[in-house]
Amino acid sequence: MELKPGSRWKSAVCTTEVVIVRPSKGSVSLECGGHPMVALADTAPTGLELSPDFSGGTSVGKRYFDDEAGIEVLGSKPGKGTLGVDGRPLTIKEAKALPASD
């Protein structure tokens, strides 16, 4: 799985789609709903079901990251699956607080 900045990926088990913001430092498996994601232009495999452990959902417009892998993705279409990398769920990246203006 070659994750390049700007490449688009979709879930094999739900409607989730993401755009790669920052690729991983090495070779990883980008997952959603407990299964590897596929390139947007490719046909998703059939017969797969959403894993109960990875069914927390994905939001549009949120950034998700994993420090260990160094990957960051942007949710471009919401879905029922939780994003993950190599079996670990990704974390939502919180917005940085702006400095107070006095």
Side-chain angles (χ1 to χ4, degrees):
M1 172 177 293
E2 189 172 349
L3 304 172
K4 294 182 180 181
S7 63
R8 298 180 57 166
W9 297 82
K10 65 182 176 184
S11 172
V13 294
C14 69
T15 58
T16 299
E17 293 180 10
V18 299
V19 176
I20 304 298
V21 175
R22 186 179 61 200
S24 60
K25 299 170 188 170
S27 179
V28 297
S29 175
L30 179 62
E31 302 159 353
C32 182
H35 301 281
M37 296 186 82
V38 295
L40 190 62
D42 294 347
T43 303
T46 58
L48 299 176
E49 292 186 20
L50 187 66
S51 168
D53 294 335
F54 288 91
S55 61
T58 301
S59 300
V60 68
K62 298 287 185 185
R63 289 179 182 240
Y64 296 85
F65 73 99
D66 181 80
D67 281 335
E68 187 177 327
I71 192 169
E72 183 176 328
V73 301
L74 173 68
S76 59
K77 190 173 179 184
K80 293 181 180 181
T82 299
L83 295 170
V85 64
D86 292 339
R88 297 182 308 273
L90 296 182
T91 305
I92 293 179
K93 189 172 188 177
E94 299 296 328
K96 294 180 182 176
L98 297 175
S101 60
D102 294 334

